[in-house]
Short mmCIF file of all heavy atoms in Angstrom, two decimals:
data_model
loop_
_atom_site.label_atom_id
_atom_site.label_comp_id
_atom_site.label_asym_id
_atom_site.label_seq_id
_atom_site.Cartn_x
_atom_site.Cartn_y
_atom_site.Cartn_z
N LYS A 88 -21.31 12.34 8.22
CA LYS A 88 -20.55 11.93 9.48
C LYS A 88 -19.50 12.94 9.85
O LYS A 88 -18.94 12.86 10.92
CB LYS A 88 -19.99 10.49 9.31
CG LYS A 88 -18.90 10.35 8.32
CD LYS A 88 -18.49 8.88 8.20
CE LYS A 88 -17.33 8.80 7.21
NZ LYS A 88 -16.77 7.48 7.05
N ARG A 242 -12.99 17.10 9.28
CA ARG A 242 -12.62 16.11 8.26
C ARG A 242 -12.64 14.74 8.87
O ARG A 242 -12.14 14.55 9.99
CB ARG A 242 -11.23 16.43 7.70
CG ARG A 242 -11.30 17.08 6.38
CD ARG A 242 -10.06 17.17 5.54
NE ARG A 242 -8.85 17.33 6.29
CZ ARG A 242 -7.87 16.39 6.39
NH1 ARG A 242 -8.01 15.16 5.89
NH2 ARG A 242 -6.77 16.70 7.06
N ALA A 243 -13.26 13.78 8.19
CA ALA A 243 -13.54 12.47 8.80
C ALA A 243 -12.26 11.83 9.35
O ALA A 243 -12.30 11.30 10.48
CB ALA A 243 -14.17 11.54 7.72
N GLU A 244 -11.13 11.91 8.64
CA GLU A 244 -9.92 11.22 9.11
C GLU A 244 -9.48 11.78 10.46
O GLU A 244 -9.05 11.06 11.34
CB GLU A 244 -8.72 11.42 8.13
CG GLU A 244 -8.99 10.97 6.75
CD GLU A 244 -9.57 12.09 5.89
OE1 GLU A 244 -10.84 12.26 5.97
OE2 GLU A 244 -8.87 12.78 5.19
N LEU A 245 -9.65 13.10 10.60
CA LEU A 245 -9.24 13.74 11.88
C LEU A 245 -10.23 13.38 12.98
O LEU A 245 -9.82 13.02 14.11
CB LEU A 245 -9.22 15.25 11.74
CG LEU A 245 -8.04 15.81 10.95
CD1 LEU A 245 -8.24 17.28 10.65
CD2 LEU A 245 -6.74 15.63 11.66
N LEU A 246 -11.53 13.42 12.69
CA LEU A 246 -12.53 13.09 13.72
C LEU A 246 -12.32 11.64 14.21
O LEU A 246 -12.41 11.30 15.40
CB LEU A 246 -13.94 13.25 13.22
CG LEU A 246 -14.41 14.71 12.89
CD1 LEU A 246 -15.88 14.67 12.43
CD2 LEU A 246 -14.36 15.58 14.20
N GLU A 247 -12.03 10.79 13.21
CA GLU A 247 -11.86 9.35 13.58
C GLU A 247 -10.68 9.17 14.53
O GLU A 247 -10.71 8.32 15.43
CB GLU A 247 -11.70 8.50 12.32
CG GLU A 247 -12.98 7.78 11.93
CD GLU A 247 -13.20 7.59 10.44
OE1 GLU A 247 -12.18 7.66 9.72
OE2 GLU A 247 -14.34 7.41 10.04
N ALA A 248 -9.62 9.93 14.31
CA ALA A 248 -8.40 9.72 15.08
C ALA A 248 -8.50 10.41 16.45
O ALA A 248 -7.66 10.14 17.34
CB ALA A 248 -7.20 10.30 14.33
N MET A 249 -9.51 11.28 16.67
CA MET A 249 -9.54 12.07 17.91
C MET A 249 -10.22 11.28 19.06
O MET A 249 -11.15 10.54 18.79
CB MET A 249 -10.34 13.35 17.65
CG MET A 249 -9.57 14.46 17.01
SD MET A 249 -10.52 15.62 16.01
CE MET A 249 -11.74 16.26 17.14
N PRO A 250 -9.75 11.50 20.27
CA PRO A 250 -10.46 10.87 21.42
C PRO A 250 -11.83 11.56 21.59
O PRO A 250 -12.02 12.65 21.09
CB PRO A 250 -9.55 11.21 22.61
CG PRO A 250 -8.78 12.38 22.20
CD PRO A 250 -8.59 12.32 20.72
N ILE A 272 -17.88 7.89 14.44
CA ILE A 272 -18.15 9.32 14.27
C ILE A 272 -19.44 9.55 13.44
O ILE A 272 -19.77 8.63 12.67
CB ILE A 272 -16.99 10.07 13.50
CG1 ILE A 272 -16.76 9.56 12.12
CG2 ILE A 272 -15.70 9.98 14.31
CD1 ILE A 272 -15.96 10.44 11.23
N LYS A 275 -19.64 9.55 18.39
CA LYS A 275 -18.60 9.54 19.44
C LYS A 275 -18.48 10.86 20.19
O LYS A 275 -18.05 10.91 21.35
CB LYS A 275 -17.28 9.19 18.74
CG LYS A 275 -16.09 9.06 19.68
CD LYS A 275 -14.89 8.50 18.91
CE LYS A 275 -14.16 9.47 18.05
NZ LYS A 275 -12.89 8.96 17.50
N PHE A 276 -18.85 11.95 19.50
CA PHE A 276 -18.66 13.28 20.03
C PHE A 276 -19.99 13.88 20.62
O PHE A 276 -20.05 15.04 20.97
CB PHE A 276 -18.10 14.24 19.04
CG PHE A 276 -16.73 13.81 18.59
CD1 PHE A 276 -16.57 13.17 17.39
CD2 PHE A 276 -15.64 13.97 19.44
CE1 PHE A 276 -15.29 12.77 16.96
CE2 PHE A 276 -14.38 13.56 19.05
CZ PHE A 276 -14.20 12.99 17.81
#
Side-chain angles (χ1 to χ4, degrees):
K88 67 184 183 177
R242 257 194 325 111
E244 306 87 279
L245 287 170
L246 291 180
E247 259 149 20
M249 279 152 56
I272 64 163
K275 180 170 80 170
F276 298 104

